[in-house]
Structure formats: C-alpha cells, structure tokens
Amino acid sequence: MSGTEFNFVPDAKWQQMELLKKINKTNSNLSKSLFTVFYRNYLVWLKYYKPGIIGDILEPLLYLAALGFGIGKFIHNINGISYIKYIVPGIIASSSMYAAAFESTFGAYTRMVTNGIYQAILLTPIGIEDIVSGEILWGTAKAFMSGTAVLIIGTVFGWIISPAAIIIPVVIVLNGILFSSLSLLITSFSPSYDFFSYYFTIAISTMFLFSGVFYPVSSLPYAIRYFVYIMPLYYTVSIMRMLDEGKINPVLLFSYLSVIILFALIFFYASVYFIKKRVIK
Amino acid sequence: MKKYILEINGLIKNFNRLRVLNDVHFKIKHGDFFGLIGPNGAGKSTLLKILYGIVIPDSGNISINGLDLLSNYKKIKYSLGIVPQEDNLDEDLSVNDNLIVYSKYFGITGGESRRRASELLNFFDMGEKKYSKVSELSGGLKRRLMIARALINNPSLIILDEPTSGLDPEYRQNIWEKLKALNRNGVTILMSTHYMEEAERLFKNIIILNHGNIVFNGAISEITLNKKSLEEIFLDIAKH
Ligand SMILES: Nc1ncnc2c1ncn2[C@@H]1O[C@H](COP(=O)(O)OP(=O)(O)OP(=O)(O)O)[C@@H](O)[C@H]1O
Ligand SMILES: [Mg+2]
C-alpha cells in the first residue's frame, strides 16, 4: 500500500485541549512518568532475565551456604545465634545492595551513555527527575528480588529467628533506594565503565566486608569502627538484624532509619543535579 | 490560535567563549515547511537542541503557540515531534516496542498506542519489520523509524535535524514524500539540511545560518527567482 494515504491530521483544537489538560495535570503525570521509565527497563529485562537472575539470586545463596556451613562449622555461635542464622540478615542487605549497585552503574551507564536512552526520553515530556526516579525505582526492584529471595530461602530453611522479620522487605526497599541513588550518583560522573571498579572496590566491597554482615562491628578495633559508621550499609544491616532477631530498640531503629533516609535524599538530589549537568549543555 | 507556531527572539548561545548562536530571531507560521540551512558547524543543531531542551540558551525568548518554551518544556513537548541528528532508537527493543514504549512517555496507552504504532509503521512502509530488532535495520530504515517515533504523539510541529544525511537517494526521496504528505495534512515542519537540492524541493521559507548569524531569512522563492542557485549562494556564504 502506498503510505502517503496515511490520514495524519494534527487537529489544532484537539492539540490545544490536550495541552490544557496536561498543564493542569502536571503533578499526577510526574508519578506516571516515573513508571514509564521503569516499564521500559522491565520490558528489556524480560528478554534477558535468565543470566541476570544468577547474579542477583544465586550468588547470595552461594555466600550463605559456603560461609554459613563452612565457617559455621568453626564458629558455633555469635551472641547465642548459630553462624548461618547470624549472617542471613547481613546477606539480605548485602545482596540487595549489590543488585541495586550493578543495575544503577553498569545498567544505567549503558542507558545514559552507550545507548542514548536518556537523550531519547528527554525528547518527550519526561524530565530528568522522572528518569532518575524511574531508574531508582528499577534498581530498587532488582534489589527487592535479590533480597527477598534470600529472605524466603532463609525462612524455608528455618534460619529466620523472629516473626518481626516480616517487616524486612520494607527495609530491603529502603536499602534498594539508598544504593540505587548512590550508584546513580557515581554513574552521573563516571567517564567509562572502568571507573566502576573503583566504586565497587573502594565502596561496595568495603561495605560488604566491614558493615557487620559477617561479624559484629563491635569486634573491630576502635579506629576502624569509626569508618564503619559512615557506611550506609551498616545501618541497613543493623536494622535487618534487629528485626530478624526480634530485639528492636525503638530509639536505634528510628535513628538508623533517619540516617538511611537522609543518605538516600542526598544521593537522589545529587544524582538529579549531576545527570542534568551531564546531558543538558 | 496564534498566527505563528514558533517565535524566536534574540537567541544567544556560547560554548566556552565560542559564540555559536548570535542574536538569532525568526518566526514560523502554522503549516509552514521551514528550512534551516547552513554549512557544517553553523549552529543548526545547537539551535534545534535549544528548541527541544537539550541545550539551554544564554539569552533569548522562544515561544511555541504563544507559550514561553523555556519555562514550559514539559507541557510543550506534548505537541512536538523531534528527530535529532543522531539516531537514538532503543536497540534492546523491537521496532514495534520502540513505538509503544515511546507512546507511553506521552501518556498514550493500550489500544490507542498499538493502533498508532501500526498506522505509523504502515505509513513508513515498515509493516513487515514490526517485530524485527532495531539492530537489524539498515541506516535508512532506522531513520524512518526515528521519524515514525517522532509522530507517535500526533505533534503539530515536527523538528528534524538533517534527517536524510548519509542516506541513498532512494531512501532520501522516500522520506521527502512522507514529509510532504505530513505537511499537506497541516503539520508544521522545521528541518535542517545542507543539501541544496533537498532545500529547493521541500522548503517554503528558510533561514540561512552561518557562524551563528542569520544571513538570509525569507521565502525560498526569493532566492531561486534570482539567477543564482541556492547552491551558489551557499558556497559563497561558506567561504566567509
Ligand atoms: N557541547 C558542545 N560543547 C562545545 N562546543 C560545541 C558543543 N556543541 C556544539 N559545539 C560547537 O558549536 C558549533 C556549532 O555546532 P552545531 O552542531 O550546532 O553545528 P551544525 O550546524 O549542526 O553542524 P553540522 O552540519 O555539522 O551538524 C561548532 O563549532 C561546534 O563545535
Ligand atoms: Mg548538526
């Protein structure tokens, strides 16, 4: 068929009505836009999810099994809790951190720099804030999958101690928001993929090893402990452990939550600022 | 409805002390097929990028349909269709999903979105490519998909930055036909090029840009009525 018969009529009245409607609805559109950015990533994920699942779900389970059974043979308990039970909340926190961090560095960099997805989206009514929020939501979804997988396995094998652990998914979400926004901030000024090795070595691995995932932070020398207190992961591990063990200290819980939310807000606004600076000249 | 769909006044843009746009001003009427002509580095893309919000000007006023652009980018985007100089299709999605996902960015969903996507693919003779991967498309088809994507929201103004550069004559002609058809249907078009043949065939009114200055602003007939061809004028300008 000859394409030129296409009945394309930009009805001026219709256009203006639409425009007016949109103007009055800008706020509700913001939340919708965020989900469209999320949806695009989800659609692509559906095509390639199998290899991704290995990293996000299988890897933390390997850690749990190897360390829980292997080292657990020598460490009979920490504060009266068997070693494998002790590390479950830490692995939930660290696996969700890793999932968010991978997605919001390598994944986001590919979308922003390699494939020009942000540039294409910016030709539409979607703004940088929507893109950043959608990306963080997506990184959080990956974190949620990874963290809850460990939580479910832990529950099935009887490694979860208190029913209060049912609230842990909420903390996984917070952890996902926290590390997606931090990682996106890193991505916003990353000149290449190689740059992420610094981030993963200096920040992510250090947090994984020192934030109380595998042992109580109180066993570290004082000098090192002060560094731990600036690590965001320390706060999410601590909250998850409180919930898992059912030993909830409301004052600590509240202050740790405030720290997490404060970190997340700073990282979010900083990444909006720097991504804007990077893509808009 | 305002007489002019686009009005630009006193537009200035510097990139680290280099003045890329110098007091650019012009108006485009509804229904025009408006050309932006100039040699490499003249500032064409910079001007168009300002219109779609990727570059922020140092000063100047721009209004679209009477609405100030710089403070209303998001709202105005609903009635713009944009084809940038570089293709940025979503290589991870199929041809059809590129359109479907893009329509969601404009709040178009469900059956409406699917209907528009297939209409546009038919219009661009790409019906059979619906489920192909973008990475399997030729350069010419990618460019057509870029234009199709820009039309997903039924824009009243489309902005195209050298949409035919690097294409075979056959593909170029095909795109010309489609653009003319759109223009006949009332879509206002603003398009840049440095092919003079293309300019003569398509444009009604033009500006010629050189080193960020407008050196001609008027109907293309004013130029082509003269003995000199557009080609010669262009070469003259490019020398300076
Ligand atoms: N982001 C930028 N930073 C610094 N200089 C820039 C930037 N973008 C463009 N320029 C400079 O601005 C000038 C105009 O560039 P522009 O891309 O607008 O030209 P053009 O007319 O589109 O050229 P072409 O026909 O090659 O596409 C050039 O000198 C270019 O080097
Ligand atoms: Mg250009």
Side-chain angles (χ1 to χ4, degrees):
Chain A
M1 102 176 213
S2 157
T4 40
E5 288 153 21
F6 178 50
N7 187 22
F8 184 96
V9 184
D11 179 5
K13 261 190 211 139
W14 180 85
Q15 284 280 344
Q16 273 169 1
M17 267 168 45
E18 278 302 286
L19 203 61
L20 285 176
K21 262 195 282 170
K22 298 288 151 84
I23 291 168
N24 297 333
K25 285 202 310 193
T26 313
N27 285 335
S28 64
N29 276 333
L30 190 89
S31 56
K32 259 197 201 159
S33 330
L34 178 166
F35 287 107
T36 58
V37 174
F38 176 92
Y39 174 78
R40 183 259 157 215
N41 291 344
Y42 169 72
L43 213 59
V44 175
W45 177 81
L46 275 184
K47 295 190 173 173
Y48 309 110
Y49 72 92
K50 278 174 194 151
I53 278 189
I54 301 217
D56 291 340
I57 293 176
L58 201 60
E59 196 177 305
L61 298 179
L62 293 179
Y63 270 101
L64 194 59
L67 297 174
F69 296 130
I71 297 183
K73 194 94 180 154
F74 300 96
I75 304 168
H76 292 294
N77 70 73
I78 293 183
N79 305 332
I81 292 164
S82 77
Y83 192 62
I84 196 155
K85 286 187 181 172
Y86 181 83
I87 63 173
V88 165
I91 298 287
I92 295 174
S94 62
S95 69
S96 50
M97 167 184 76
Y98 269 104
F102 271 112
E103 187 57 45
S104 304
T105 51
F106 292 99
Y109 187 87
T110 303
R111 293 187 280 275
M112 177 170 70
V113 181
T114 317
N115 292 349
I117 302 294
Y118 293 6
Q119 286 76 1
I121 296 178
L122 285 172
L123 305 176
T124 75
I126 309 253
I128 300 270
E129 296 82 2
D130 310 315
I131 296 180
V132 169
S133 320
E135 286 280 44
I136 289 173
L137 186 68
W138 175 241
T140 303
K142 300 288 290 283
F144 188 76
M145 274 191 292
S146 184
T148 45
V150 181
L151 178 63
I152 290 167
I153 299 281
T155 310
V156 169
F157 284 91
W159 297 326
I160 295 294
I161 300 162
S162 154
I166 194 132
I167 307 166
I168 286 180
V170 178
V171 191
I172 299 177
V173 168
L174 283 178
N175 200 40
I177 296 175
L178 176 67
F179 284 103
S180 290
S181 17
L182 171 62
S183 308
L184 213 53
L185 175 60
I186 300 295
T187 304
S188 70
F189 45 77
S190 177
S192 68
Y193 287 107
D194 298 329
F195 187 77
F196 297 132
S197 1
Y198 295 115
Y199 172 59
F200 276 91
T201 311
I202 296 169
I204 298 294
S205 303
T206 309
M207 282 193 263
F208 180 53
L209 296 171
F210 289 92
S211 298
V213 172
F214 300 109
Y215 50 83
V217 170
S218 58
S219 56
L220 288 170
Y222 268 111
I224 298 184
R225 245 187 271 174
Y226 287 110
F227 282 106
V228 174
Y229 297 143
I230 58 165
M231 297 179 183
L233 184 66
Y234 168 73
Y235 298 96
T236 38
V237 171
S238 305
I239 295 179
M240 289 192 197
R241 180 153 290 137
M242 262 187 228
L243 294 169
D244 176 46
E245 295 177 1
K247 293 177 192 154
I248 297 157
N249 174 338
V251 177
L252 271 189
L253 182 69
F254 183 75
S255 38
Y256 286 2
L257 278 176
S258 320
V259 173
I260 294 170
I261 291 167
L262 186 71
F263 268 127
L265 283 174
I266 294 171
F267 298 151
F268 173 80
Y269 283 105
S271 44
V272 169
Y273 178 80
F274 285 107
I275 291 182
K276 206 174 246 174
K277 239 182 130 172
R278 182 158 184 167
V279 298
I280 295 178
K281 298 280 156 37
Chain B
M1 198 159 77
K2 288 255 171 185
K3 184 175 177 196
Y4 297 103
I5 193 163
L6 175 71
E7 292 176 66
I8 297 183
N9 275 305
L11 196 63
I12 293 178
K13 177 67 187 178
N14 301 301
F15 280 122
N16 331 305
R17 298 232 177 84
L18 173 72
R19 178 143 303 189
V20 177
L21 293 175
N22 187 22
D23 190 24
V24 167
H25 52 93
F26 61 93
K27 294 175 181 175
I28 300 179
K29 280 186 195 151
H30 280 277
D32 205 346
F33 202 139
F34 196 94
L36 174 55
I37 302 177
N40 290 122
K44 302 183 296 295
S45 295
T46 305
L47 172 57
L48 297 182
K49 282 177 184 169
I50 289 174
L51 296 182
Y52 53 80
I54 301 283
V55 169
I56 305 295
D58 296 329
S59 61
N61 292 311
I62 304 169
S63 68
I64 290 192
N65 251 333
L67 204 59
D68 176 51
L69 176 71
L70 300 176
S71 51
N72 295 289
Y73 270 122
K74 276 196 176 186
K75 295 163 198 165
I76 288 175
K77 291 278 176 62
Y78 283 99
S79 54
L80 293 188
I82 298 156
V83 182
Q85 192 163 7
E86 279 89 33
D87 291 347
N88 54 20
L89 294 164
D90 202 326
E91 303 264 343
D92 288 317
L93 298 174
S94 68
V95 167
N96 194 51
D97 280 345
N98 258 275
L99 298 178
I100 301 284
V101 167
Y102 219 69
S103 72
K104 290 201 192 304
Y105 298 143
F106 291 91
I108 305 160
T109 51
E112 175 67 4
S113 157
R114 285 192 297 276
R115 189 185 58 74
R116 289 198 199 181
S118 53
E119 261 183 21
L120 283 167
L121 288 177
N122 287 336
F123 177 56
F124 284 95
D125 316 311
M126 292 181 71
E128 323 87 84
K129 298 282 179 194
K130 195 166 181 177
Y131 300 109
S132 305
K133 280 189 190 165
V134 166
S135 50
E136 289 163 2
L137 299 182
S138 68
L141 284 182
K142 276 187 187 165
R143 199 53 68 84
R144 281 199 229 165
L145 184 57
M146 285 289 291
I147 304 176
R149 191 182 72 175
L151 296 173
I152 199 80
N153 55 322
N154 278 15
S156 34
L157 172 63
I158 57 178
I159 299 173
L160 307 99
D161 197 354
E162 303 198 27
T164 63
S165 74
L167 301 187
D168 291 344
E170 187 199 332
Y171 275 111
R172 181 171 300 163
Q173 292 247 353
N174 177 285
I175 288 181
W176 290 348
E177 291 314 312
K178 306 301 179 191
L179 292 177
K180 278 190 201 162
L182 288 167
N183 186 240
R184 274 197 303 274
N185 277 302
V187 184
T188 310
I189 299 181
L190 166 59
M191 168 173 156
S192 74
T193 187
H194 56 237
Y195 295 117
M196 292 312 110
E197 187 203 350
E198 179 165 87
E200 280 167 358
R201 283 191 185 216
L202 295 179
F203 302 151
K204 297 173 185 163
N205 295 293
I206 58 168
I207 57 171
I208 302 181
L209 207 59
N210 192 35
H211 298 303
N213 293 293
I214 294 186
V215 292
F216 177 83
N217 178 354
I220 196 153
S221 51
E222 288 174 40
I223 289 191
T224 41
L225 274 179
N226 280 329
K227 282 280 174 282
K228 274 188 166 181
S229 73
L230 197 52
E231 187 89 36
E232 285 170 272
I233 291 169
F234 186 75
L235 287 173
D236 271 357
I237 289 163
K239 267 182 223 149
H240 300 297

mmCIF file of all heavy atoms in Angstrom, chain B residues 197-213:
data_model
loop_
_atom_site.group_PDB
_atom_site.id
_atom_site.type_symbol
_atom_site.label_atom_id
_atom_site.label_comp_id
_atom_site.label_asym_id
_atom_site.label_seq_id
_atom_site.Cartn_x
_atom_site.Cartn_y
_atom_site.Cartn_z
ATOM 1 N N GLU B 197 19.624 20.657 -2.986
ATOM 2 C CA GLU B 197 18.548 20.075 -3.787
ATOM 3 C C GLU B 197 17.337 19.798 -2.893
ATOM 4 O O GLU B 197 16.193 20.096 -3.243
ATOM 5 C CB GLU B 197 19.036 18.765 -4.422
ATOM 6 C CG GLU B 197 18.036 18.201 -5.405
ATOM 7 C CD GLU B 197 18.214 16.709 -5.621
ATOM 8 O OE1 GLU B 197 19.227 16.154 -5.156
ATOM 9 O OE2 GLU B 197 17.309 16.107 -6.230
ATOM 10 N N GLU B 198 17.639 19.272 -1.727
ATOM 11 C CA GLU B 198 16.593 18.976 -0.752
ATOM 12 C C GLU B 198 15.855 20.256 -0.353
ATOM 13 O O GLU B 198 14.628 20.302 -0.322
ATOM 14 C CB GLU B 198 17.255 18.338 0.474
ATOM 15 C CG GLU B 198 16.329 17.992 1.600
ATOM 16 C CD GLU B 198 17.004 17.038 2.590
ATOM 17 O OE1 GLU B 198 17.680 17.511 3.518
ATOM 18 O OE2 GLU B 198 16.859 15.826 2.400
ATOM 19 N N ALA B 199 16.638 21.290 -0.098
ATOM 20 C CA ALA B 199 16.048 22.566 0.320
ATOM 21 C C ALA B 199 15.095 23.085 -0.753
ATOM 22 O O ALA B 199 13.968 23.495 -0.472
ATOM 23 C CB ALA B 199 17.156 23.577 0.595
ATOM 24 N N GLU B 200 15.553 23.054 -2.003
ATOM 25 C CA GLU B 200 14.737 23.591 -3.089
ATOM 26 C C GLU B 200 13.452 22.806 -3.278
ATOM 27 O O GLU B 200 12.418 23.340 -3.651
ATOM 28 C CB GLU B 200 15.541 23.623 -4.395
ATOM 29 C CG GLU B 200 16.458 24.840 -4.423
ATOM 30 C CD GLU B 200 17.514 24.789 -5.519
ATOM 31 O OE1 GLU B 200 17.582 23.782 -6.257
ATOM 32 O OE2 GLU B 200 18.285 25.759 -5.610
ATOM 33 N N ARG B 201 13.521 21.511 -3.037
ATOM 34 C CA ARG B 201 12.331 20.694 -3.237
ATOM 35 C C ARG B 201 11.304 20.813 -2.129
ATOM 36 O O ARG B 201 10.114 20.650 -2.371
ATOM 37 C CB ARG B 201 12.723 19.225 -3.305
ATOM 38 C CG ARG B 201 13.315 18.893 -4.619
ATOM 39 C CD ARG B 201 13.412 17.419 -4.705
ATOM 40 N NE ARG B 201 14.087 17.066 -5.929
ATOM 41 C CZ ARG B 201 13.756 16.006 -6.628
ATOM 42 N NH1 ARG B 201 12.780 15.228 -6.224
ATOM 43 N NH2 ARG B 201 14.410 15.737 -7.724
ATOM 44 N N LEU B 202 11.795 21.024 -0.920
ATOM 45 C CA LEU B 202 10.873 20.913 0.209
ATOM 46 C C LEU B 202 10.416 22.248 0.808
ATOM 47 O O LEU B 202 9.249 22.425 1.109
ATOM 48 C CB LEU B 202 11.514 20.095 1.337
ATOM 49 C CG LEU B 202 11.825 18.631 1.065
ATOM 50 C CD1 LEU B 202 12.483 18.006 2.285
ATOM 51 C CD2 LEU B 202 10.555 17.861 0.732
ATOM 52 N N PHE B 203 11.350 23.145 0.976
ATOM 53 C CA PHE B 203 11.050 24.261 1.866
ATOM 54 C C PHE B 203 10.236 25.362 1.219
ATOM 55 O O PHE B 203 10.370 25.642 0.039
ATOM 56 C CB PHE B 203 12.350 24.861 2.416
ATOM 57 C CG PHE B 203 13.203 23.876 3.169
ATOM 58 C CD1 PHE B 203 14.588 24.020 3.223
ATOM 59 C CD2 PHE B 203 12.634 22.796 3.819
ATOM 60 C CE1 PHE B 203 15.382 23.116 3.913
ATOM 61 C CE2 PHE B 203 13.414 21.885 4.521
ATOM 62 C CZ PHE B 203 14.794 22.047 4.556
ATOM 63 N N LYS B 204 9.388 26.000 2.062
ATOM 64 C CA LYS B 204 8.676 27.192 1.610
ATOM 65 C C LYS B 204 9.460 28.418 2.060
ATOM 66 O O LYS B 204 9.773 29.300 1.287
ATOM 67 C CB LYS B 204 7.267 27.222 2.211
ATOM 68 C CG LYS B 204 6.389 26.046 1.765
ATOM 69 C CD LYS B 204 5.066 26.034 2.519
ATOM 70 C CE LYS B 204 4.237 24.792 2.173
ATOM 71 N NZ LYS B 204 3.168 24.570 3.169
ATOM 72 N N ASN B 205 9.778 28.466 3.339
ATOM 73 C CA ASN B 205 10.571 29.573 3.887
ATOM 74 C C ASN B 205 11.824 29.021 4.536
ATOM 75 O O ASN B 205 11.821 27.893 5.027
ATOM 76 C CB ASN B 205 9.755 30.345 4.925
ATOM 77 C CG ASN B 205 8.574 31.031 4.292
ATOM 78 O OD1 ASN B 205 8.730 31.956 3.498
ATOM 79 N ND2 ASN B 205 7.379 30.546 4.601
ATOM 80 N N ILE B 206 12.863 29.836 4.541
ATOM 81 C CA ILE B 206 14.125 29.346 5.114
ATOM 82 C C ILE B 206 14.834 30.440 5.907
ATOM 83 O O ILE B 206 14.557 31.637 5.746
ATOM 84 C CB ILE B 206 15.111 28.867 4.019
ATOM 85 C CG1 ILE B 206 15.422 30.004 3.028
ATOM 86 C CG2 ILE B 206 14.589 27.655 3.296
ATOM 87 C CD1 ILE B 206 16.598 29.685 2.105
ATOM 88 N N ILE B 207 15.746 30.011 6.765
ATOM 89 C CA ILE B 207 16.800 30.910 7.201
ATOM 90 C C ILE B 207 18.114 30.248 6.831
ATOM 91 O O ILE B 207 18.222 29.019 6.827
ATOM 92 C CB ILE B 207 16.779 31.243 8.718
ATOM 93 C CG1 ILE B 207 16.863 29.981 9.563
ATOM 94 C CG2 ILE B 207 15.594 32.085 9.091
ATOM 95 C CD1 ILE B 207 17.067 30.279 11.044
ATOM 96 N N ILE B 208 19.089 31.080 6.491
ATOM 97 C CA ILE B 208 20.436 30.550 6.261
ATOM 98 C C ILE B 208 21.292 31.024 7.419
ATOM 99 O O ILE B 208 21.307 32.217 7.762
ATOM 100 C CB ILE B 208 21.022 31.035 4.921
ATOM 101 C CG1 ILE B 208 20.098 30.611 3.769
ATOM 102 C CG2 ILE B 208 22.412 30.440 4.711
ATOM 103 C CD1 ILE B 208 20.595 31.025 2.397
ATOM 104 N N LEU B 209 21.964 30.083 8.020
ATOM 105 C CA LEU B 209 22.751 30.361 9.207
ATOM 106 C C LEU B 209 24.214 30.171 8.841
ATOM 107 O O LEU B 209 24.571 29.217 8.154
ATOM 108 C CB LEU B 209 22.354 29.335 10.270
ATOM 109 C CG LEU B 209 22.484 29.666 11.743
ATOM 110 C CD1 LEU B 209 21.672 30.884 12.106
ATOM 111 C CD2 LEU B 209 22.015 28.461 12.580
ATOM 112 N N ASN B 210 25.048 31.119 9.272
ATOM 113 C CA ASN B 210 26.483 30.923 9.075
ATOM 114 C C ASN B 210 27.218 31.463 10.295
ATOM 115 O O ASN B 210 26.983 32.607 10.690
ATOM 116 C CB ASN B 210 26.952 31.635 7.801
ATOM 117 C CG ASN B 210 28.358 31.230 7.411
ATOM 118 O OD1 ASN B 210 28.741 30.070 7.610
ATOM 119 N ND2 ASN B 210 29.112 32.163 6.875
ATOM 120 N N HIS B 211 28.077 30.689 10.872
ATOM 121 C CA HIS B 211 28.765 31.067 12.113
ATOM 122 C C HIS B 211 27.808 31.655 13.137
ATOM 123 O O HIS B 211 28.115 32.664 13.778
ATOM 124 C CB HIS B 211 29.887 32.078 11.835
ATOM 125 C CG HIS B 211 30.959 31.530 10.946
ATOM 126 N ND1 HIS B 211 31.656 30.387 11.271
ATOM 127 C CD2 HIS B 211 31.460 31.957 9.760
ATOM 128 C CE1 HIS B 211 32.538 30.130 10.320
ATOM 129 N NE2 HIS B 211 32.441 31.055 9.382
ATOM 130 N N GLY B 212 26.638 31.086 13.233
ATOM 131 C CA GLY B 212 25.691 31.522 14.266
ATOM 132 C C GLY B 212 24.903 32.769 13.921
ATOM 133 O O GLY B 212 24.104 33.238 14.725
ATOM 134 N N ASN B 213 25.133 33.347 12.730
ATOM 135 C CA ASN B 213 24.365 34.533 12.324
ATOM 136 C C ASN B 213 23.385 34.167 11.222
ATOM 137 O O ASN B 213 23.709 33.379 10.337
ATOM 138 C CB ASN B 213 25.307 35.614 11.779
ATOM 139 C CG ASN B 213 26.203 36.151 12.865
ATOM 140 O OD1 ASN B 213 25.763 36.798 13.806
ATOM 141 N ND2 ASN B 213 27.497 35.839 12.750
#
